[in-house]
DNA sequence: AAGTAATTCCGTACGGTGTACGAGAATAGC
DNA sequence: GCTATTCTCGTACACCGTACGGAATTACTT
């Protein structure tokens, strides 16, 4: 990110954020809802990228004044948190757990990837993550249930969850960047020339060999499935 | 990231960036070097976080006017690229390959983690990555060499490299966030209360069980090593 | 020696960002 | 009706990346 740092922010209380009282008894009634705001922000990010998600932009999209958002959200960072949890509601995998934890884990990972391809800004937004929202916790719950047959202890199961999420996010980020680069043939060609030049200097024989070998075409789906299989099959059942 | 998007940027030619002519024949001689600029930016990011890295700040740190940096770098994004490649020179793992590719891969991953702990902004900066700089290519070369005994084809070896890097980055990002949160006991307590409240509502039995189980203390090093072993041991040689 | 082209240096300025502040508006309880 | 409470949002500020253009400095050409 060229994003700000994560080391000095005045974070928000997750209790305040996620389990807020249903309605204040007094005062002017809110004209919008966090749900609606999150939905608008997500739509914006989907259409124009995370960079287009601005307080002013989101507010105007929803028909509100710029500063009104701050009644619902203390921070822009929190808005992003809301967005993440909003889309997290989408990846439901019906029929889990099946008892075959490896298959379940793979199904979950495929759902995560589908979600991230649908919302390409997600992998980039995830690293700054603060707390897990309710939708994300629902998802966590499913993964933990799927991992029950492994007899891993609680901590280890949480680790596997974050390992899996991190893997998928990293992979999809790569995938998205790659497909974006493919849209600009000039740049792709320049990059290829650069790598070729490096390979030609003799200092990188392994790289040269890899580049020289004809890359047989594989679809992104196949590549992901292959890597995922490698990873999941290697996980020890404890 | 709450960072800008990666889908519409006017990228820079990697040839222009990385294999620039040694010196222009004419014109005023440069007062600084990309190396020095990158070093200053890295020092800044190490000390105050990636958010403190602004063009003006870096320039003043080096004793230059704000706009002078644009003679060396077309973009702020490119500056970050420079920073990444600058620190990539640090993770040398002597004596590779040994022939035991799993052990080599683990050693490499540990070196990567050490690097990222030394430069906590790195995991956050990585997702926007454009091209691989020379230092990073040196590192890639080592990993490819280590993977030679696997007889994986070139594409698969590149995949393993990015899988490994992504895994380490994701894990360290988590680690850094966690240790930052530990510095604010109020927030950590609030988060714990929030999770306890969610667990208490009965809708997340698996989560409740995990939270109820006493977490036996493990060091971050152990945790990382365990996850890494799980992953690497699972990689197929084939 | 003089001129010209190339390159770096950097002050100024512009549009855009997150958000602090505070004055108004709308509601509920007393 | 009064007051407390909450949402609304115009204005303002500091800061960001960077476009622009003139001054400074060098090397090549003549």
């Amino acid at each position: 990110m060229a994003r700000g740092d994560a080391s000095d922010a005045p974070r928000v209380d997750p209790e305040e954020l996620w389990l807020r009282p249903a309605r204040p008894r007094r005062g002017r009634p809110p004209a919008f809802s966090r749900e609606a705001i999150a939905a608008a922000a997500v739509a914006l990010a989907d259409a124009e990228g995370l960079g287009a998600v601005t307080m002013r932009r989101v507010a105007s999209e929803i028909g509100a004044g710029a500063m009104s958002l701050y009644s619902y959200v203390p921070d822009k960072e929190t808005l992003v948190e809301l967005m993440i949890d909003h889309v997290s509601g989408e990846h439901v995998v019906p029929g889990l757990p099946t008892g075959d934890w490896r298959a379940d884990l793979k199904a979950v990972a495929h759902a995560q990837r589908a979600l991230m391809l649908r919302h390409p800004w997600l992998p980039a937004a995830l690293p700054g993550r603060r707390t897990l929202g309710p939708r994300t916790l629902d998802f966590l719950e499913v993964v933990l249930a799927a991992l029950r047959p492994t007899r891993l202890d609680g901590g280890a199961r949480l680790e596997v969850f974050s390992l899996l999420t991190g893997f998928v996010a990293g992979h999809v980020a790569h995938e998205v960047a790659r497909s974006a680069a493919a849209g600009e043939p000039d740049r792709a060609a320049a990059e290829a020339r650069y790598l070729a030049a490096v390979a030609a200097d003799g200092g990188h024989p392994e790289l040269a060999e890899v580049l020289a070998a004809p890359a047989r075409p594989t679809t992104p789906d196949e590549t992901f499935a292959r890597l995922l299989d490698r990873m999941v099959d290697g996980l020890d059942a404890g």
Side-chain angles (χ1 to χ4, degrees), chain A:
Chain A
M1 175 201 98
R3 184 216 321 208
D5 195 22
S7 66
D8 50 0
R11 322 280 181 75
V12 192
D13 194 328
E15 299 174 284
E16 193 77 18
L17 217 208
W18 298 120
L19 3 79
R20 213 194 214 174
R23 240 323 180 51
R25 299 272 166 246
R26 292 209 286 238
R28 181 176 178 168
F32 313 101
S33 69
R34 281 203 310 233
E35 199 68 18
I37 292 172
V42 165
L44 202 51
D46 288 348
E48 303 181 33
L50 199 56
V53 176
T54 302
M55 297 304 267
R56 294 173 226 258
R57 194 63 205 286
V58 172
S60 92
E61 213 76 25
I62 211 185
M67 291 305 291
S68 299
L69 294 194
Y70 286 95
S71 304
Y72 300 86
V73 145
D75 250 2
K76 192 202 170 176
E77 196 125 31
T78 306
L79 212 204
V80 176
E81 208 90 353
L82 246 46
M83 292 169 64
I84 294 175
D85 200 64
H86 184 83
V87 300
S88 289
E90 291 178 24
H91 54 2
V92 281
V93 186
L96 291 192
T98 66
D100 179 352
W101 65 271
R102 287 183 211 268
D104 289 355
L105 227 51
K106 291 176 189 177
V108 160
H110 277 103
Q112 278 185 304
R113 174 169 174 261
L115 179 76
M116 294 184 190
L117 288 176
R118 207 156 48 233
H119 306 290
W121 47 270
L122 238 188
L126 271 173
R129 191 57 166 283
R130 303 243 175 283
T131 44
L132 305 175
R135 301 245 136 79
T136 313
L137 286 178
D138 292 346
F139 181 63
L140 209 206
E141 180 73 15
V142 171
V143 176
L144 289 179
L147 283 173
R148 183 168 278 282
T150 62
R151 307 192 52 86
L152 292 170
D153 68 41
R157 285 198 263 166
L158 287 178
E159 282 169 16
V160 169
F161 173 74
S162 91
L163 171 63
L164 192 74
T165 306
F167 158 69
V168 178
H171 183 83
V172 174
H174 232 94
E175 232 176 309
V176 169
R178 199 140 200 78
S179 80
E184 296 170 73
D186 296 355
R187 276 207 58 75
E191 189 164 327
R193 279 202 310 275
Y194 161 64
L195 286 177
V198 172
D201 76 357
H204 300 76
E206 300 283 341
L207 178 62
E209 190 181 319
V210 166
L211 291 178
R216 65 196 147 79
T218 44
T219 71
D221 290 352
E222 287 169 355
T223 302
F224 176 75
R226 189 151 24 91
L227 280 176
L228 180 65
D229 287 353
R230 279 207 187 110
M231 241 199 58
V232 172
D233 291 342
L235 292 180
D236 197 341

